[in-house]
Amino acid sequence: MSDPINAPFRPRIFSGIQPSGGLTLGNYLGALKRFAALQGDQAETVYCIVDLHAITVWQDPQILRARTREAAAAFLASGVDPAQSILFNQSQVSAHAEMAWLFNTVARVGWMYRMTQFKDKAGKNSENASLGLLAYPALMAADILTYQATAVPVGEDQKQHLELTRDIAAKFNHDYGVTHFPITEPLIEGVATRVMSLRDGSKKMSKSDPSDASRINLTDDADTIAQKIRKARTDAEPLPGQMEGLKDRPEARNLVNIYAALTDETPDQVLARFEGQGFGAFKPALAEVAVEALSPITRRMAEFMADPAQIDAVLADGADRAAAVAMPILQRTKDIMGLLRPRA
């Protein structure tokens, strides 16, 4: 965020998650825990539940509403404080959709077709994919740049979309001879920004995995968490004293990274404590740490979900505050592009 390119802009962090349901330990360590930790720093924090992204594939309306509230409950339970951050859902702030259309005229079709996520989601039948699925990186750029965000916490798998956001910002600034949008910087930090499956250390932990044993859900109780960790795939070798020794042991490396992320240690610090020990000793220790960290979140999520009116009030207030930031930036974008203002 100290990049001189972005010096004219107020430091602001933006990020969001999809209301896809079934939030996991991966969502907590890779996103929610980091979002809470970034509050109160030198940058304003703006967090969004991106329900407009969710509808690029068909959603059952009732389920989508429930999942949007569940995602908000996860933010709140993980320590995101509406008094310190702006928390809202995307569809309540119309500037996102308007800015996305403006960016559709800036982004190039070739840029969209190169997006790995479109290829993965559309598959071989891409002609039947929604236009929204193809264009959704422009909406993601709008999410970020509508707030002139100077930094975005992202995982390694999201770097391509942020690069496109930077391309759109640079092209807009160049085409109109302005310095209107920052060249947003990625915040890739932490030891478990990409949490892997408990059953296969080469695959990301995901709610879509057919095996529930592959993941720890934020709604799992203490016994379930402990059981899943106890049954997690590992190997017969003892733990080394440094991470270099886990280079070719993906399952072991994943569990050590999870332990380190939960305790705010480095992996090498964890290994120094468990050097020479096997997983018979390590797994119970990890289970204890995971239960201690996640049980309060599970409990608070349930409390928030029992009071949907409270969640809706938080999101509505956040939407008002988000719009107060976004609408002047959107209007200035329209002015730069030569679009007439509505009559007063």
Side-chain angles (χ1 to χ4, degrees), residues 191-269:
V191 296
T193 56
R194 186 174 173 84
V195 178
M196 311 308 283
S197 165
L198 299 180
R199 307 302 299 163
D200 182 349
S202 67
K203 295 180 179 177
K204 187 176 180 181
M205 184 179 285
S206 171
K207 74 175 187 66
S208 62
D209 192 305
S211 172
D212 188 61
S214 70
R215 59 187 170 269
I216 294 173
N217 305 299
L218 293 188
T219 53
D220 285 342
D221 61 28
D223 289 342
T224 302
I225 292 170
Q227 183 181 47
K228 286 180 176 180
I229 291 174
R230 189 167 62 248
K231 293 184 176 181
R233 181 178 294 174
T234 50
D235 54 48
E237 297 297 317
L239 288 166
Q242 293 184 316
M243 282 298 282
E244 178 65 23
L246 296 180
K247 181 174 60 175
D248 299 316
R249 299 169 62 186
E251 284 81 18
R253 186 172 63 248
N254 184 43
L255 294 187
V256 170
N257 279 336
I258 289 172
Y259 191 112
L262 287 169
T263 58
D264 294 318
E265 297 176 277
T266 68
D268 283 340
Q269 286 174 323

Side-chain angles (χ1 to χ4, degrees), residues 18-306:
Q18 281 210 40
S20 54
L23 293 168
T24 70
L25 175 68
N27 299 116
Y28 174 65
L29 292 179
L32 297 169
K33 184 175 187 284
R34 300 169 68 205
F35 295 167
L38 289 167
Q39 294 177 132
D41 204 349
Q42 297 178 347
E44 182 180 19
T45 45
V46 181
Y47 298 131
C48 182
I49 298 149
V50 290
D51 49 357
L52 293 177
H53 285 295
I55 61 171
T56 56
V57 295
W58 190 85
Q59 302 285 335
D60 179 290
Q62 283 188 302
I63 293 175
L64 178 59
R65 289 188 195 99
R67 286 177 172 175
T68 299
R69 292 187 178 110
E70 180 189 48
F75 271 99
L76 297 168
S78 299
V80 171
D81 181 357
Q84 295 187 66
S85 299
I86 296 175
L87 175 63
F88 68 106
N89 64 297
Q90 185 186 28
S91 62
Q92 289 198 60
V93 181
S94 62
H96 289 251
E98 289 191 68
M99 189 72 85
W101 176 256
L102 301 183
F103 286 169
N104 282 344
T105 71
V106 176
R108 305 293 91 179
V109 172
W111 297 357
M112 300 302 182
Y113 277 116
R114 285 196 294 272
M115 294 292 106
T116 303
Q117 193 163 21
F118 173 73
K119 296 174 185 177
D120 291 344
K121 287 193 174 183
K124 296 179 180 178
N125 201 18
S126 61
E127 293 295 318
N128 283 336
S130 74
L131 179 59
L133 186 62
L134 177 64
Y136 120 64
L139 175 57
M140 181 174 174
D143 297 336
I144 296 165
L145 296 176
T146 295
Y147 299 91
Q148 292 178 330
T150 54
V152 174
V154 294
E156 289 287 346
D157 56 334
Q158 297 169 312
K159 286 180 67 176
Q160 188 185 36
H161 283 154
L162 185 58
E163 285 299 324
L164 185 135
T165 297
R166 290 162 59 91
D167 289 343
I168 289 174
K171 189 175 190 303
F172 183 96
N173 290 345
H174 175 268
D175 288 353
Y176 291 98
V178 294
T179 308
H180 180 53
F181 292 120
I183 307 303
T184 309
E185 293 294 330
L187 289 178
I188 301 174
E189 54 190 28
V191 296
T193 56
R194 186 174 173 84
V195 178
M196 311 308 283
S197 165
L198 299 180
R199 307 302 299 163
D200 182 349
S202 67
K203 295 180 179 177
K204 187 176 180 181
M205 184 179 285
S206 171
K207 74 175 187 66
S208 62
D209 192 305
S211 172
D212 188 61
S214 70
R215 59 187 170 269
I216 294 173
N217 305 299
L218 293 188
T219 53
D220 285 342
D221 61 28
D223 289 342
T224 302
I225 292 170
Q227 183 181 47
K228 286 180 176 180
I229 291 174
R230 189 167 62 248
K231 293 184 176 181
R233 181 178 294 174
T234 50
D235 54 48
E237 297 297 317
L239 288 166
Q242 293 184 316
M243 282 298 282
E244 178 65 23
L246 296 180
K247 181 174 60 175
D248 299 316
R249 299 169 62 186
E251 284 81 18
R253 186 172 63 248
N254 184 43
L255 294 187
V256 170
N257 279 336
I258 289 172
Y259 191 112
L262 287 169
T263 58
D264 294 318
E265 297 176 277
T266 68
D268 283 340
Q269 286 174 323
V270 174
L271 287 174
R273 191 156 65 252
F274 289 94
E275 183 176 6
Q277 299 185 51
F279 285 96
F282 184 78
K283 283 183 176 180
L286 174 58
E288 183 178 350
V289 164
V291 168
E292 183 179 357
L294 298 180
S295 290
I297 295 171
T298 300
R299 184 179 64 254
R300 288 196 293 269
M301 277 188 67
E303 290 170 356
F304 282 118
M305 288 300 290

